[in-house]
Structure formats: structure tokens, C-alpha cells
Amino acid sequence: MTQGSESEGFVELPGGSRIFYRRSGKGEPILLLHGIAHSSQAWDRVIPALTSRYEVIALDLPGCGRSDKPDTDYSLGTQAAAVRYVLDRLHLDLVTAIGHSLGGGVAMTLAYQYPERVGRLGLVASAGLGRDLHLLFRAATLPFAPERAMRVLFHPRMRVPRNLLGLIMSQALGDPFFHRPKQHRREFEALLQGLEEPGAQRAFLATLRSASNYAGQSVSALDRIGLAEFPVLIVWGKDDRVFPVAHARRAHQELPHARVVVIEHCGHFPQLEATQPFIKALRRWLDETRPLRIYPVQSGPPTGRDVPGASVA
């Protein structure tokens, strides 16, 4: 592939499952990681604003989008190992890792497990920075009932009734994802269509339960994030109801050198609901900081034992 070209493809993990990637632009590499049950399409509004100066790599995380959905471990650690494997196969060394929601948790885990690969870290409404979690997600961690309910709710023939039900619940109880839900409903509904695949439903529940329970988030990065010495950007919607903005402020206490941007009249998806303010904050941070290499790159890719979907004897 020539530098600056646009491409997409798959990286096959040691066990045979594949990770889908999109790659475009020219310059320093920026890795974009989406939230739970979504795909790299969640960054479609952001990517064009970056590719004139940066090489942008957007992945579909394991179990999401066009990536394979094996019945395997979807913990943050194994997802981070899979991401590192992709970086190796794409010959990418030091990256700026930017993650939204679940992707933020994966990005932090990548930086913690493989600090030689992350030179800057961007956290957008990130998981792993506090206990609080919206009731909708906490309920999905309960055993038995969610699997059956998801098979019915996310059957392709249920798409129209599901979207109507979501609209009614949003109007009655408040939308958990957006400050202005009507403006972004179709976009959000399109992202959720990936859950119509049975494998995606299983992966969603496995991912959620690996880091959460009915009481809230059970995996915290606050004891690790304070170790970060490289530039950090934290972006949050002030009206986020999935993870409250208090998580951003608490993370700032642990990382006083981080740049924190709170966007007014915005929910859980700053890159969708407040695209221009989000891009402005992101590009300014990228312009004013440089990736910091803390450790030399270790030789060799992760072993099969580290990678989700790998066969381990």
C-alpha cells in the first residue's frame, strides 16, 4: 500500500478470527477505537478532518462490525492484545490511541500492557473511570433473561418495532445517549443494526459482563491511569447519562497534566452530537502535543495466548 492511500482489510489473529480495519491519510498514525456494539463507522464524521495530516487507522473491535465474532474471551486485556497484534501486522509502531466508551477502556489497557506502543492517549466518554453505569447496561449483565430478550429484540424483522420502542422509551424516560436524540436517532439505529447478528449479541454480553455487573462498572483504570506520562486528552459530554461527567473530573485529579474538554449540550457521543467542537478540541490537542515514547518497542507480536480467538493448546 502506498503512503496516503485509502484501504481496508482484515488481520487474521493466531486462532483464525479476523479483525477488520480501515486505513487512510498520511502522517503520524492515529488509532481510533469505537464503543461497545458499534463499529469504526462511529468515527465517520471525524476521519476526514484528520487524514490531511495524519494516518488514521479505525478498527472494528473483536465481536463488532465486520470483525469476526467467535465464542471467546472479550475482556479488556484480550481486546488490547488483539489491537496490539493488528498494529504489528500493519507495521505500526508508536500510535496515538483514541477510544470512545468501551474503546477508551481498551485504549487505556493497551497503554498499560504495551506502553511502548502508545505515545498519546485520547479518552472520549471513556469506560473504566468510575463505578457509575446507566441502568440499561447494568440490567443487561443479569443472567439468562438478556440473551433471550436480545434474540427477540434484535431479530432483523424487529428493526422497525425496536426503533419505535426506543423512541417511546427515550421520550418517556430520557435518552441515555444523546442530549438531542431526534437529530441522531437514525445514525444511532444504524450503528445498532450490527447487533442483529447472533454472534454480535453474544460478544456484546460477554464484553459487558467482563467489565460490569448490576452494581455498575467492575473494572477501574484509575489505579493505572496515574502512571501515564504521555499527553492525555479527556473529552466528555456534559449531559452524558451512560458515564457521568464526574468521571472526567475524577480522572483529571489522577492525571493533572491531562487536557479535559467538557462539551455543553452533549451526551455520550461527542463525535456524533458535537462533531465540530469535538474535532476542534482534538485537532488542537494533536497540534500542541507530540507522541512520547517511554519504552523501546519489544520484539515480536503477542503470543496466541494473549489474543482473543486464538487457539491455545
Side-chain angles (χ1 to χ4, degrees):
M1 185 188 73
T2 59
Q3 191 176 31
S5 63
E6 298 183 3
S7 67
E8 61 181 42
F10 293 87
V11 171
E12 184 173 323
L13 303 180
S17 64
R18 304 173 306 159
I19 301 295
F20 177 75
Y21 70 87
R22 299 157 60 194
R23 192 175 189 179
S24 57
K26 179 179 178 181
E28 295 176 7
I30 295 180
L31 174 68
L32 299 178
L33 302 175
H34 61 81
I36 193 168
H38 302 146
S39 73
S40 57
Q41 291 180 338
W43 299 105
D44 279 356
R45 294 188 180 189
V46 177
I47 291 173
L50 301 177
T51 51
S52 62
R53 295 188 58 182
Y54 302 96
E55 181 181 15
V56 181
I57 305 93
L59 304 185
D60 286 359
L61 288 169
C64 298
R66 294 173 64 182
S67 292
D68 289 343
K69 302 163 182 66
D71 187 4
T72 188
D73 174 23
Y74 287 95
S75 66
L76 293 177
T78 52
Q79 295 219 38
V83 171
R84 185 208 158 183
Y85 194 90
V86 173
L87 295 181
D88 286 339
R89 289 297 178 260
L90 297 182
H91 306 291
L92 294 165
D93 179 10
L94 192 71
V95 301
T96 294
I98 300 173
H100 170 248
S101 198
L102 165 71
V106 176
M108 283 189 286
T109 306
L110 179 72
Y112 182 76
Q113 292 183 173
Y114 311 108
E116 73 280 3
R117 307 308 292 270
V118 177
R120 288 184 291 200
L121 180 66
L123 303 174
V124 184
S126 177
L129 297 177
R131 185 73 167 166
D132 307 273
L133 179 65
H134 192 275
L135 179 61
L136 182 67
F137 290 97
R138 289 190 280 130
T141 65
L142 294 173
F144 307 119
E147 288 93 333
R148 299 190 185 107
M150 288 193 71
R151 282 198 296 269
V152 174
L153 189 61
F154 286 96
H155 191 282
R157 293 181 180 178
M158 288 293 293
R159 187 179 299 167
V160 173
R162 178 181 71 237
N163 293 341
L164 179 59
L165 177 63
L167 177 61
I168 293 172
M169 292 183 63
S170 173
Q171 292 175 340
L173 304 175
D175 191 282
F177 303 107
F178 295 100
H179 175 75
R180 297 176 293 270
K182 290 183 179 180
Q183 297 181 25
H184 305 280
R185 179 155 301 282
R186 289 186 179 179
E187 203 167 12
F188 184 65
E189 290 168 354
L191 287 174
L192 288 182
Q193 286 182 24
L195 281 174
E196 292 177 359
E197 297 182 44
Q201 298 168 19
R202 183 177 59 245
F204 167 80
L205 292 172
T207 302
L208 184 64
R209 290 167 176 168
S210 72
S212 309
N213 54 43
Y214 187 72
Q217 294 188 83
S218 57
V219 176
S220 174
L222 285 173
D223 58 340
R224 302 176 181 180
I225 195 174
L227 301 175
E229 300 176 24
F230 42 65
V232 177
L233 173 68
I234 301 172
V235 181
W236 228 273
K238 188 175 181 180
D239 301 317
D240 192 335
R241 297 179 65 186
V242 177
F243 306 129
V245 70
H247 290 196
R249 299 188 176 108
R250 185 178 178 190
H252 197 204
Q253 293 176 355
E254 300 295 328
L255 278 177
H257 74 280
R259 181 175 301 183
V260 178
V261 177
V262 176
I263 301 178
E264 298 281 344
H265 311 299
C266 179
H268 187 60
F269 284 84
Q271 74 272 38
L272 298 181
E273 192 167 24
T275 303
Q276 292 310 311
F278 174 78
I279 290 174
K280 181 179 179 180
L282 176 58
R283 292 189 63 167
R284 181 178 179 183
W285 176 70
L286 292 171
D287 288 344
E288 295 178 356
T289 62
R290 290 291 179 268
L292 176 63
R293 184 184 296 282
I294 300 176
Y295 301 103
V297 176
Q298 299 174 356
S299 60
T303 66
R305 294 181 181 273
D306 298 324
V307 181
S311 299
V312 179

